[in-house]
Amino acid sequence: MATRNPFRPSFGVSPRVLAGRDGLIDDFDVALDEGPGSPMRAVLVSGARGIGKTVVLGELEDRARSRGWLVLRLPEGPRLVTELEETVLPSLLSEHDPEAVRRRVTGGGISPLGSISTEVTERFPVAPSLTRMLTRLAGIVKERGGGLLLTLDEVQAAPPEDLARLASAYQHLVRDDEEVALAAAGLPIGIDALLEQPGTTFLRRAERINLESLSDDQVAEAAVATVRAAGRVISAEAVQELVAIVHGYPYLLQLVGYHAWRAAGRDEVITLADVRGTLPVVVERMGRLVHAPALRGVPPGQRAYLQAMAQDDGPSSTGQIAERLGVSKGNQNMQRTRLIDRELIVPAGHGLVDYALPYLREHLRATSA
């Protein structure tokens, strides 16, 4: 019987061997044990697409659940607060709150004496709010010896006003010394936008963690450990090639490993040829799942800048880019700065820039042909 492929190249799915994030996970563990007031109880995780933000959120959720905490995944997208107030929180309170159902006599019959009925009205009905429902839920789980972890992925997709209301509600919970924690993840530009909102001042004191690329050693160790745990081995040459293709990108580690494992068939050893043959799949998958979304909404001028860079096989000279585009040095500098802010390019030395995402050059060449 063939051994199941141990690599998991799906966005947001935790790998069997998590590489390079142990320090963050351990610090969060300590924060949950330290109690209210620990700085790592509010964490903002940022990084490029495919760098492992969602995986980190999943690991933090698992650590909270192991301590008996309730994990509340906040709705992603434009209806964050609306869905919380109208659906998510009422459903959770109905499940966990022993006082969720209140019996009221609104009618009845006593035979044979006849029937009586009463009508109950509330003079000052209180509509449940986001803060009130979160406070109640946090109090319930605290009474049971646990806590409440709020997690939000794709921060940049949420309306700024909703993020401000969420931050305000969370601040109330912290002030009341509730057992709560918050972990949010998103692209750097999304995290920056969140912290610029007037109502999110409190979150500026949260721990800001930018996920970096894995080191070559971390990639190699994770690949070897994953293969070994599944009963196979990977040759030293294959590991070196895998490291070169992955570029420190956690998603690519899983993608390359997955297809190299498949290419090996029933062989016990994953070879250099097995790994090298994954490159076309890597380029295509990165282009479709990472680069295309990253380029969506990029203005024409910045897109032209990226295309001009694609003429080079390595870092591009900013002076040559200006010449190719026929623009002034000032215009070139402006486009360069905006693309760096979008984390699509990075400085690569004096007067040089390069792509921030692996295989973006290949994608731009293919799509402009």
Side-chain angles (χ1 to χ4, degrees):
M1 181 178 179
T3 305
R4 179 174 296 179
N5 196 319
F7 292 94
R8 310 173 79 181
S10 296
F11 283 104
V13 177
S14 294
R16 300 186 188 280
V17 176
L18 184 65
R21 313 304 187 201
D22 294 343
L24 166 59
I25 306 301
D26 292 342
D27 288 345
F28 189 72
D29 267 344
V30 172
L32 295 182
D33 293 337
E34 283 181 338
S38 178
M40 278 291 289
R41 282 205 173 189
V43 180
L44 301 178
V45 181
S46 62
R49 289 178 173 85
I51 205 70
K53 300 182 297 295
T54 303
V55 169
V56 166
L57 280 188
E59 292 295 321
L60 299 183
E61 291 173 348
D62 288 345
R63 296 304 177 97
R65 291 191 186 97
S66 70
R67 285 165 169 75
W69 281 47
L70 177 66
V71 173
L72 170 53
R73 288 184 177 176
L74 301 171
E76 299 173 19
R79 288 172 46 85
L80 192 160
V81 169
T82 299
E83 290 188 26
L84 273 177
E85 290 183 330
E86 295 182 358
T87 307
V88 178
L89 285 172
S91 177
L92 284 173
L93 287 169
S94 296
E95 178 182 354
H96 295 281
D97 190 348
E99 299 180 5
V101 179
R102 296 181 180 179
R103 296 180 180 179
R104 298 190 303 174
V105 176
T106 57
I110 303 177
S111 180
L113 301 179
S115 298
I116 60 172
S117 64
T118 61
E119 182 177 346
V120 179
T121 60
E122 297 182 18
R123 294 184 61 190
F124 307 104
V126 178
S129 67
L130 174 65
T131 300
R132 185 176 180 182
M133 286 189 285
L134 281 175
T135 299
R136 177 57 183 160
L137 187 59
I140 293 170
V141 295
K142 184 178 181 179
E143 291 172 359
R144 297 175 181 176
L148 177 64
L149 170 62
L150 309 177
T151 64
L152 175 62
D153 203 0
E154 301 294 341
V155 166
Q156 68 278 356
E161 59 274 15
D162 280 17
L163 296 175
R165 287 188 62 188
L166 176 64
S168 176
Y170 181 75
Q171 185 172 5
H172 278 288
L173 297 175
V174 173
R175 285 176 175 174
D176 292 340
D177 231 21
E178 299 289 359
E179 287 285 353
V180 293
L182 170 68
L187 300 175
I189 191 172
I191 298 292
D192 291 340
L194 165 63
L195 299 182
E196 289 172 2
Q197 296 304 311
T200 61
T201 305
F202 170 72
L203 286 179
R204 293 173 192 166
R205 298 191 294 273
E207 290 293 323
R208 176 75 180 267
I209 298 168
N210 186 52
L211 297 183
E212 303 288 349
S213 299
L214 302 177
S215 69
D216 289 351
D217 287 344
Q218 288 171 335
V219 172
E221 290 169 4
V224 170
T226 303
V227 171
R228 182 183 297 143
R232 286 184 180 179
V233 295
I234 179 170
S235 71
E237 296 82 3
V239 172
Q240 292 179 354
E241 183 71 8
L242 182 143
V243 168
I245 294 175
V246 166
H247 290 282
Y249 217 58
Y251 169 66
L252 290 186
L253 167 58
Q254 299 300 314
L255 184 63
V256 174
Y258 177 85
H259 286 283
W261 179 281
R262 289 188 60 184
R266 295 182 176 273
D267 294 342
E268 182 182 351
V269 179
I270 296 176
T271 67
L272 173 62
D274 295 329
V275 173
R276 186 169 289 166
T278 68
L279 190 56
V281 175
V282 166
V283 173
E284 186 278 331
R285 192 72 59 87
M286 282 290 289
R288 179 161 48 88
L289 300 181
V290 176
H291 301 140
L295 294 172
R296 196 173 296 132
V298 174
Q302 295 174 39
R303 187 68 178 256
Y305 192 105
L306 294 171
Q307 292 286 2
M309 288 176 58
Q311 297 180 34
D312 302 309
D313 293 328
S316 300
S317 163
T318 56
Q320 288 185 348
I321 293 173
E323 291 180 8
R324 291 169 185 170
L325 295 175
V327 299
S328 66
K329 182 178 179 180
N331 180 280
Q332 182 280 140
N333 284 336
M334 178 184 66
Q335 303 291 11
R336 170 185 176 275
T337 299
R338 291 176 176 173
L339 286 168
I340 290 174
D341 290 340
R342 288 180 176 271
E343 298 210 343
L344 290 174
I345 67 173
V346 292
H350 181 67
L352 298 173
V353 290
D354 203 355
Y355 296 109
L357 299 172
Y359 305 106
L360 179 54
R361 176 180 289 103
E362 288 80 358
H363 174 72
L364 288 168
R365 287 175 174 175
T367 55
S368 64

